[in-house]
Amino acid sequence: MTQIKAPAAKEPSVSSAVSTINDVARLAGVSIKTVSRVMNDEPNVREETRTKVKEAAARLHYRPNLLARSLAGSRSFLIGLLYDNPSSSYVIDLQQGVIERCRQSGYHVLSEPQDSLAPDIGRAIASLLATIRLDGVILTPPLCDMAVVLDAVEAAGVPYVRVSPSLFPGRSALVEMDDTQAAYEMTQFLLGQGHRDIGFVRGHPEHGSSHRRYDGFIKAMHEAGAEPHSRRIAQGFNSFASGLEAAKALFMDAGNLPTAIFASNDEMAFGVMAYAQQTGVRVPDQVSVVGFDDTPGSMIIWPHLTTIRQPVTDLAYAAADMLLSRASADEDAPNFSDTRRELPFELVMRESAKAV
Amino acid sequence: MTQIKAPAAKEPSVSSAVSTINDVARLAGVSIKTVSRVMNDEPNVREETRTKVKEAAARLHYRPNLLARSLAGSRSFLIGLLYDNPSSSYVIDLQQGVIERCRQSGYHVLSEPQDSLAPDIGRAIASLLATIRLDGVILTPPLCDMAVVLDAVEAAGVPYVRVSPSLFPGRSALVEMDDTQAAYEMTQFLLGQGHRDIGFVRGHPEHGSSHRRYDGFIKAMHEAGAEPHSRRIAQGFNSFASGLEAAKALFMDAGNLPTAIFASNDEMAFGVMAYAQQTGVRVPDQVSVVGFDDTPGSMIIWPHLTTIRQPVTDLAYAAADMLLSRASADEDAPNFSDTRRELPFELVMRESAKAV
């Protein structure tokens, strides 16, 4: 298309031909390079020229082609979201937040599931980053705690932000919530409800958050002078089945039940509640049960689960904002890897816990 | 980089410089255009040349840059997945399947959530397709049933496949499962277990699948001479809360409960089970409950839910395969829009239903 398209009378129909950067340059009387600069919000364009180009683009209903923009400037307008997480609600909420923020800046998101157990995970990520130019990468657990993954991203020279990492603090920009404090406050809530004999289901030992959540629990119990007997601590592995097994151990002595169980994720709390139901233990009348994560399941079981809400969408927003401001910076932002944001969690009180 | 990189001794480290198409062309002694042709599996390259290029690419650990490939050929190697679905497990399973298949062919996937209730949804999609070149688009419910969405995609000339559409059969390539047959078979299962007095919770009236599921239920009941009284049919809206309300209506007369409830999605079945638990109705001893979809929740409630598994991953594979074979076809595939695949569902028997 070499002719300037006259703008449609009122609203261009969906099938109207798409305007090109050439059309905008002609109408504005500037070079293609200048149009590209304005579209990419690059500096060194006079305000008058910028206005002229934006007006021409608006009249022509011009939308920059991602490929063309990418060639004209140094950016690809693509952000990669790398994940390997069994919780679909966590991934989809995070993805949704990242996409929302990126869209506002004209960026698109490539979702790239990665198998964190694959022995060649580092190579797979290096190859991904060599195949497609990304302006930034967001790494989620457990990928964000794997040195081989961080090595690959750093070797490719792609800026990245980690969401809720447990290891290598200070190695990259990161967003997180305070798991220890959240578990501490949930335990304080239970103590405040008169519970003293509280059982705990630990999370998967290879997840950093498992240890932080346990630490928060123990800290609150210790401060209250209610340190739990070891038979009140069960090891889980973050799954429903492991929660069921943990409940079996914690409910072993039917005549001596704890008054509350704190499972360090929702899935295990659901397992505890299922076991209670199977064995006729009434929740919350006999035993209160609380979880951690506020997954969708917490609203479909009865009683609804008292739990801790991770600010997943806000973590996504913060991670995307960090990357986007970095990508649009003219120079390498100084100390980007020192950037760190902590976002607040929320205790969500529902029906699965009550006062003794 | 203009020098040919000697291949690393054994395994190139992650940080080794990335080979370019120039390197491969030099080593193979052919033009860049020829390398591009081989990489894109285009025809009209002699087998000998093809082998030479592939060997050079392998020696140099060359991975084609997506942008370069896209410019050299007519393809962008990007597939768009457009969704607006409240079920995160459905979206993530579908996305995972599409990404898996695309990856094998060197394609990447742009996940693009769209607000199907937005009045300018058609324009939003037209603008997306004008901004970024996609080799194909996958549309999921409810987007795949909106004429304005199909118009926008067709106007942009992008090949597309619909997943489980309810409307406009024959307008596009599609993959689906037989909702009517699935509901029919689940009802037959309940009848076979001795149930005759079966309540039904209808789904959201604006979803095509709701009507198909109801039809399958009625057909089986009719054939068995067990047509339900209208007080056994409750209207739901696919949510947990609407399932709870439906149960309230269906359990109104405590002295005259149905022996089974078929909720036309899992969320509503969870609502029915929660209401049963709140009111002391025992599932499945007094009332069997079955759902439809096999969402993750069906394994975290107790008793685990008997339900119908949609072949979501297989639907994703089939949709991606259709698009990819179309994208790699040299000519427009004849009658692409007639392509249609139906995939089998599965009845999943768990603990929430039993014989009368």
Side-chain angles (χ1 to χ4, degrees):
Chain A
M1 188 168 68
T2 51
Q3 289 290 93
I4 298 182
K5 295 282 299 178
K10 227 12 210 282
E11 299 278 280
S13 86
V14 162
S15 61
S16 70
V18 172
S19 304
T20 69
I21 193 167
N22 290 304
D23 304 330
V24 178
R26 267 172 207 235
L27 186 60
V30 301
S31 72
I32 290 174
K33 179 83 194 150
T34 303
V35 176
S36 153
R37 280 201 173 134
V38 172
M39 289 298 146
N40 289 336
D41 281 328
E42 282 169 26
N44 302 326
V45 182
R46 276 185 306 142
E47 205 43 48
E48 190 193 333
T49 310
R50 197 179 290 277
T51 308
K52 212 159 54 179
V53 169
K54 292 214 158 165
E55 280 173 4
R59 268 190 66 193
L60 294 170
H61 299 281
Y62 170 70
R63 301 233 158 219
N65 178 286
L66 194 71
L67 255 173
R69 284 164 78 193
S70 166
L71 284 172
S74 56
R75 289 184 261 159
S76 68
F77 294 92
L78 289 174
I79 296 289
L81 174 63
L82 274 54
Y83 63 89
D84 178 25
N85 192 299
S87 162
S88 55
S89 62
Y90 176 84
V91 171
I92 210 80
D93 287 354
L94 199 79
Q95 172 174 304
Q96 189 89 12
V98 171
I99 290 175
E100 250 177 68
R101 270 312 210 264
C102 284
R103 199 174 267 178
Q104 291 163 7
S105 303
Y107 276 76
H108 293 267
V109 176
L110 280 192
S111 291
E112 293 284 340
Q114 299 289 339
D115 179 2
S116 59
L117 298 177
D120 62 345
I121 170 94
R123 178 178 303 261
I125 288 174
S127 142
L128 168 72
L129 298 177
T131 309
I132 187 157
R133 189 144 58 95
L134 299 176
D135 287 344
V137 159
I138 294 174
L139 296 178
T140 61
L143 301 173
C144 63
D145 290 323
M146 299 174 67
V148 64
V149 171
L150 308 192
D151 289 346
V153 176
E154 288 168 12
V158 180
Y160 70 106
V161 174
R162 293 186 294 158
V163 178
S164 306
S166 302
L167 303 175
F168 320 120
R171 181 160 171 181
S172 79
L174 62 89
V175 297
E176 62 183 352
M177 63 163 274
D178 189 339
D179 276 280
T180 311
Q181 181 66 18
Y184 176 77
E185 291 187 17
M186 179 59 93
T187 309
Q188 283 197 316
F189 161 75
L190 291 172
L191 290 162
Q193 297 281 299
H195 296 280
R196 302 277 300 169
D197 186 3
I198 307 176
F200 191 85
V201 185
R202 300 188 67 159
H204 198 294
E206 288 184 10
H207 291 223
S209 59
S210 302
H211 304 290
R212 292 195 297 273
R213 293 172 186 186
Y214 179 69
D215 290 348
F217 166 71
I218 289 295
K219 183 176 168 227
M221 294 296 275
H222 177 78
E223 285 179 9
E227 269 173 19
H229 190 281
S230 63
R231 72 170 178 276
R232 293 302 193 210
I233 311 292
Q235 180 67 55
F237 298 90
N238 288 7
S239 64
F240 177 88
S242 74
L244 209 100
E245 284 302 311
K248 205 176 284 185
L250 294 169
F251 292 176
M252 184 90 75
D253 181 357
N256 178 23
L257 296 178
T259 65
I261 305 270
F262 185 174
S264 54
N265 81 350
D266 282 0
E267 291 289 319
M268 296 191 295
F270 302 143
V272 171
M273 287 174 71
Y275 186 78
Q277 200 176 333
Q278 288 168 33
T279 54
V281 173
R282 292 185 315 282
V283 176
D285 296 333
Q286 285 174 274
V287 179
S288 289
V289 176
V290 302
F292 200 121
D293 285 339
D294 195 25
T295 53
S298 58
M299 285 294 286
I300 65 161
I301 51 153
W302 188 259
H304 292 335
L305 187 68
T306 290
T307 183
I308 294 157
R309 181 175 299 155
Q310 285 207 55
V312 179
T313 304
D314 290 334
L315 289 168
Y317 286 163
D321 287 347
M322 276 185 196
L323 269 188
L324 293 172
S325 63
R326 159 80 183 211
S328 62
D330 286 318
E331 299 291 314
D332 282 1
N335 301 319
F336 177 63
S337 66
D338 288 348
T339 316
R340 180 180 169 283
R341 275 198 63 190
E342 186 179 297
L343 294 166
F345 53 85
E346 190 185 339
L347 266 54
V348 185
M349 303 311 176
R350 299 205 182 96
E351 292 81 5
S352 68
K354 61 174 233 181
V356 178
Chain B
M1 189 167 67
T2 50
Q3 289 291 91
I4 297 183
K5 295 281 299 177
K10 212 55 205 260
E11 298 279 280
S13 86
V14 162
S15 61
S16 70
V18 171
S19 305
T20 70
I21 193 167
N22 290 305
D23 304 331
V24 179
R26 267 174 207 235
L27 187 59
V30 301
S31 71
I32 290 174
K33 178 83 192 150
T34 302
V35 176
S36 154
R37 278 200 175 134
V38 172
M39 289 298 144
N40 290 334
D41 281 327
E42 282 168 27
N44 302 326
V45 181
R46 274 187 305 144
E47 206 42 49
E48 189 194 333
T49 311
R50 199 179 290 277
T51 307
K52 211 157 55 177
V53 170
K54 292 215 158 162
E55 280 173 6
R59 268 191 66 193
L60 294 169
H61 298 281
Y62 170 70
R63 299 234 160 218
N65 178 286
L66 195 69
L67 255 172
R69 284 164 77 193
S70 166
L71 285 172
S74 57
R75 289 185 259 160
S76 68
F77 293 93
L78 289 173
I79 296 288
L81 174 63
L82 275 55
Y83 64 88
D84 177 25
N85 192 299
S87 162
S88 53
S89 62
Y90 176 83
V91 172
I92 210 80
D93 287 353
L94 199 79
Q95 172 174 304
Q96 191 88 14
V98 171
I99 290 174
E100 247 176 70
R101 270 312 210 265
C102 283
R103 200 174 265 177
Q104 291 163 7
S105 303
Y107 276 75
H108 293 267
V109 176
L110 280 193
S111 292
E112 294 284 340
Q114 299 290 338
D115 179 2
S116 60
L117 298 178
D120 62 344
I121 169 93
R123 180 177 302 264
I125 288 174
S127 141
L128 167 72
L129 298 177
T131 309
I132 188 158
R133 189 145 58 96
L134 299 176
D135 287 343
V137 159
I138 294 174
L139 296 177
T140 61
L143 301 173
C144 63
D145 289 323
M146 298 173 67
V148 64
V149 171
L150 307 192
D151 289 345
V153 176
E154 288 168 13
V158 180
Y160 70 105
V161 173
R162 293 186 294 157
V163 179
S164 306
S166 301
L167 303 175
F168 319 120
R171 183 161 171 181
S172 78
L174 61 89
V175 297
E176 62 184 352
M177 63 164 273
D178 190 338
D179 276 279
T180 312
Q181 182 65 21
Y184 176 76
E185 290 186 17
M186 178 61 92
T187 309
Q188 283 197 316
F189 161 74
L190 290 172
L191 289 162
Q193 296 281 300
H195 296 279
R196 303 278 299 173
D197 187 3
I198 306 176
F200 191 86
V201 186
R202 300 187 67 158
H204 198 297
E206 287 184 12
H207 290 224
S209 60
S210 301
H211 304 292
R212 293 195 297 273
R213 292 172 188 187
Y214 179 69
D215 291 347
F217 166 70
I218 289 295
K219 184 177 168 225
M221 294 295 274
H222 176 77
E223 284 179 9
E227 269 174 19
H229 191 280
S230 63
R231 72 169 179 277
R232 292 303 193 210
I233 311 294
Q235 180 66 56
F237 298 90
N238 287 9
S239 65
F240 177 88
S242 73
L244 208 99
E245 285 302 312
K248 205 177 284 184
L250 294 169
F251 291 176
M252 184 89 77
D253 182 356
N256 178 23
L257 296 177
T259 64
I261 305 268
F262 184 176
S264 53
N265 82 349
D266 282 0
E267 291 289 319
M268 296 191 294
F270 302 143
V272 170
M273 288 174 70
Y275 187 77
Q277 200 176 333
Q278 288 169 34
T279 54
V281 172
R282 293 187 313 282
V283 175
D285 296 333
Q286 287 174 272
V287 179
S288 289
V289 177
V290 302
F292 199 121
D293 285 340
D294 196 25
T295 53
S298 58
M299 286 293 287
I300 65 163
I301 51 155
W302 188 259
H304 292 335
L305 187 67
T306 290
T307 184
I308 294 156
R309 182 176 298 155
Q310 285 207 54
V312 180
T313 304
D314 289 333
L315 289 168
Y317 286 162
D321 287 347
M322 276 185 199
L323 269 187
L324 293 171
S325 63
R326 158 81 182 209
S328 63
D330 286 317
E331 299 291 314
D332 282 1
N335 301 321
F336 178 61
S337 66
D338 287 348
T339 316
R340 181 180 167 281
R341 273 198 65 191
E342 186 179 297
L343 295 166
F345 54 84
E346 189 185 339
L347 267 53
V348 186
M349 303 311 175
R350 300 204 181 97
E351 293 81 6
S352 68
K354 62 174 232 182
V356 177

